[in-house]
Amino acid sequence: MTTRFAIILAAGKGTRMKSKLYKVLHPVCGKPMVEHIMNRVMETQPQEIVTVVGHGADKVKEQLGERSQYALQAEQLGTGHAVLQVEPFLKGKKGTTLVISGDTPLLTTETLNNLFEYHQGKNASATILTAKADDPTGYGRIIRDHVGIVEKIVEQKDANPEEAKVTEINTGTYCFDNELLFEALSHLDTDNAQGEYYLTDIIEILKANGKTVAAYQTEDFEESLGVNDRVALAQANQIMRKRINHQHMVNGVSLIDPAATYIDAGVKIGAETVIEPGVYLKGATVIGEECVITAQSQIVDSVIEDGVVVKSSVIEESLVKKGADVGPFAHLRPKAEIHENAHIGNFVEVKNAQIGEGTKVGHLTYVGDATLGKEINVGCGVVFVNYDGKQKYHTTVGDHSFIGSNANLVGPVNVAQNTSIAAGTTVTQDIPEYAMAIGRVRQENKENYAKKLPFLN
Ligand code: UD1
Ligand code: CA
């Protein structure tokens, strides 16, 4: 195989996005566009990758890290000028160079490999990845002569009415003979509608020097969608979401309504899991086999083991172990650990707390900064009082304890195993094993007093 190099163009501001976030960092199915590009590029196994950065250079570098080298394009004078900044890294090296935009996140590795192979097969100096568009507006047009040989690429803004009618578009992805690419770059000028150094002009320059230029047309226009504004961003999300959902269904996951199921790239889901509409699975989430995730649940950066049922709940940075169930309408905040077969019921919030095996926290309860052992029953409306306005305090409850409804456990406090806390008790002292804690005002019944009250009159 010829040595492969790759250049990712990511210096543009993305004016048409009207955003503070740099264009290539806008997410598609949870990952920045340029991250998708980097993953695809790496799968083609180039020897060197150089990313051209400019606007938001630090942020883009932070995202891509050491997977790439970086060329700084201080002023954005066009795509040709961007590639020119890579000269110090690649000029004069033998091999094939893939040039790809940071804003075409849907291109597949298969297509990129096909492009490399087509380029090599044609023994071309340059091969353009093209596609047929129903609506070519905004893209560069591929102009071919009467026998179908590529002559040039004309940008939308430079096209005459005849050229504008052409529906074969430039995807902004190319393979070049690396040495010829850098030779030709020095001949670019800014004599065009946008006053920029167009990379696309390289085609005419190579042809004028008698070099072979080829075009490889992808079957699928959707793949080559260039994201310049938020309309295209929404389209890109939709297309990628469809792909992701399709793959999960092929793997044995049931999606009740795939069009209304939002799963980020990289989320893993086991077979036989059922996912209802309106569910979002985000970030580094992993869902096991035979789970049920009901409507409107949102699960972010969490691990849900096999056989778990999540009913219409929000789960963030948490772990839910085998056979546990959560919800409806529960909120697991960061560092909640729900152990095997535990039950978290409605309107329960858990934060930075371990809920032991088989423990039940059924109703209207807040558990924050706590360690709960096994087989504990937590009544309704219990509050783990963890904050005094300045500091957070930790509470421990031992196995097989019973916490009555409406109890407050004021941390820091240790409740031993096999204890009971009477309903309505405010616990401020440690409770030893086998003790029952009770702390509430004694009840007094005033005989016949109700007769004096308005509701009986
Ligand atoms: C470009 C192509 C067009 C093609 C389309 C495909 C040119 C002149 N036009 O147009 O033929 O149909 O892509 O999506 O190449 N960039 C830089 N530095 C710059 C300018 C741009 O790094 O000075 C980067 C951008 O960040 C972006 C990429 O290059 O990732 C493409 O630039 P963009 O302005 O989006 O080009 P298009 O107008 O879409
Ligand atoms: Ca673009």
Side-chain angles (χ1 to χ4, degrees):
M1 196 170 82
T2 338
T3 306
R4 290 176 174 183
F5 305 105
I7 298 172
I8 301 173
L9 303 184
K13 183 164 179 246
T15 313
R16 290 163 281 184
M17 296 295 280
K18 309 218 167 105
S19 176
K20 288 187 192 111
L21 187 64
Y22 304 105
K23 176 164 80 173
V24 298
L25 294 176
H26 273 268
V28 171
C29 292
K31 287 197 171 133
M33 291 200 268
V34 74
E35 176 69 27
H36 288 290
I37 295 290
M38 177 55 81
N39 290 334
R40 299 298 84 76
V41 164
M42 285 182 74
E43 283 156 5
T44 69
Q45 302 186 315
Q47 195 176 73
E48 287 184 54
I49 302 173
V50 184
T51 304
V52 182
V53 292
H55 282 283
D58 291 344
K59 291 266 157 50
V60 175
K61 284 185 188 174
E62 197 183 307
Q63 175 65 40
L64 300 179
E66 288 179 0
R67 292 175 288 177
S68 178
Q69 309 176 80
Y70 298 96
L72 182 70
Q73 186 191 24
E75 242 187 311
Q76 282 63 54
L77 304 177
T79 47
H81 181 258
V83 176
L84 195 61
Q85 310 312 307
V86 181
E87 232 183 36
F89 297 86
L90 297 184
K91 191 183 180 173
K93 292 186 178 170
K94 266 200 192 334
T96 303
T97 300
L98 173 77
V99 176
I100 190 167
S101 295
D103 66 351
T104 49
L106 299 165
L107 287 168
T108 62
T109 310
E110 194 191 354
T111 296
L112 298 182
N113 278 329
N114 286 347
L115 174 67
F116 269 115
E117 275 157 31
Y118 190 88
H119 175 79
Q120 212 169 332
K122 290 279 167 187
N123 215 354
S125 306
T127 304
I128 313 158
L129 180 67
T130 76
K132 275 264 197 240
D134 289 339
D135 175 12
T137 310
Y139 292 93
R141 310 295 205 280
I142 306 296
I143 308 302
R144 295 177 183 258
D145 67 12
H146 60 285
V147 288
I149 292 176
V150 176
E151 278 185 330
K152 58 180 174 179
I153 303 171
V154 177
E155 288 306 294
Q156 167 90 30
K157 288 184 178 153
D158 300 284
N160 64 38
E162 201 60 28
E163 291 165 336
K165 281 186 203 143
V166 172
T167 55
E168 189 184 7
I169 59 102
N170 169 29
T171 65
T173 317
Y174 325 78
C175 274
F176 292 103
D177 173 285
N178 186 64
E179 288 163 294
L180 291 177
L181 169 65
F182 287 98
E183 264 173 54
L185 276 174
S186 56
H187 298 294
L188 288 180
D189 61 38
T190 57
D191 187 13
N192 54 54
Q194 302 188 77
E196 288 184 356
Y197 293 96
Y198 289 167
L199 178 60
T200 45
D201 287 349
I202 289 276
I203 301 304
E204 273 179 285
I205 294 168
L206 289 172
K207 293 214 59 141
N209 288 314
K211 308 292 179 200
T212 311
V213 173
Y216 170 68
Q217 199 184 99
T218 53
E219 299 285 306
D220 181 10
F221 170 72
E222 283 198 333
E223 238 193 74
S224 31
L225 185 77
V227 177
N228 294 325
D229 58 26
R230 296 195 197 230
V231 175
L233 182 67
Q235 281 169 341
N237 269 290
Q238 209 163 22
I239 295 165
M240 190 170 289
R241 189 160 75 230
K242 224 169 151 179
R243 267 192 212 163
I244 290 170
N245 288 354
H246 181 89
Q247 193 54 50
H248 286 300
M249 290 187 279
V250 168
N251 293 347
V253 178
S254 274
L255 305 183
I256 303 300
D257 183 359
T261 307
Y262 306 85
I263 304 173
D264 276 359
V267 167
K268 295 188 177 70
I269 311 175
E272 307 279 11
T273 284
V274 177
I275 299 179
E276 291 187 356
V279 168
Y280 283 79
L281 304 178
K282 297 189 190 181
T285 292
V286 180
I287 313 270
E289 295 179 1
E290 297 181 50
C291 294
V292 178
I293 316 290
T294 80
Q296 310 296 343
S297 292
Q298 290 202 27
I299 305 180
V300 185
D301 294 325
S302 294
V303 175
I304 310 295
E305 293 187 353
D306 298 346
V308 166
V309 177
V310 175
K311 289 185 193 157
S312 308
S313 292
V314 176
I315 301 182
E316 305 157 291
E317 296 170 43
S318 291
L319 166 66
V320 182
K321 293 197 172 185
K322 277 186 187 151
D325 74 290
V326 177
F329 316 118
H331 187 185
L332 303 187
R333 288 171 52 208
K335 295 193 189 147
E337 270 180 36
I338 313 303
H339 289 218
E340 283 87 349
N341 304 313
H343 165 67
I344 302 295
N346 42 203
F347 307 108
V348 171
E349 175 179 339
V350 181
K351 183 219 76 172
N352 186 32
Q354 293 85 47
I355 309 296
E357 216 178 303
T359 287
K360 294 182 169 58
V361 189
H363 339 262
L364 300 155
T365 285
Y366 173 62
V367 185
D369 301 301
T371 305
L372 275 64
K374 292 180 203 166
E375 308 289 343
I376 294 168
N377 188 82
V378 179
C380 177
V382 171
V383 177
F384 283 69
V385 182
N386 62 332
Y387 187 47
D388 63 3
K390 247 193 170 155
Q391 249 183 295
K392 300 277 163 71
Y393 301 95
H394 191 264
T395 291
T396 309
V397 181
D399 301 345
H400 307 290
S401 290
F402 182 96
I403 304 178
S405 291
N406 197 33
N408 295 319
L409 287 80
V410 182
V413 75
N414 283 311
V415 178
Q417 58 183 359
N418 301 311
T419 56
S420 173
I421 298 172
T425 296
T426 295
V427 177
T428 52
Q429 296 164 30
D430 291 356
I431 306 174
E433 191 172 3
Y434 298 119
M436 181 188 79
I438 179 162
R440 60 193 185 208
V441 176
R442 274 193 187 278
Q443 181 175 330
E444 185 186 344
N445 291 337
K446 295 186 189 288
E447 297 295 332
N448 293 315
Y449 196 90
K451 288 181 186 167
K452 295 185 193 164
L453 296 174
F455 76 101
L456 279 184
N457 292 299

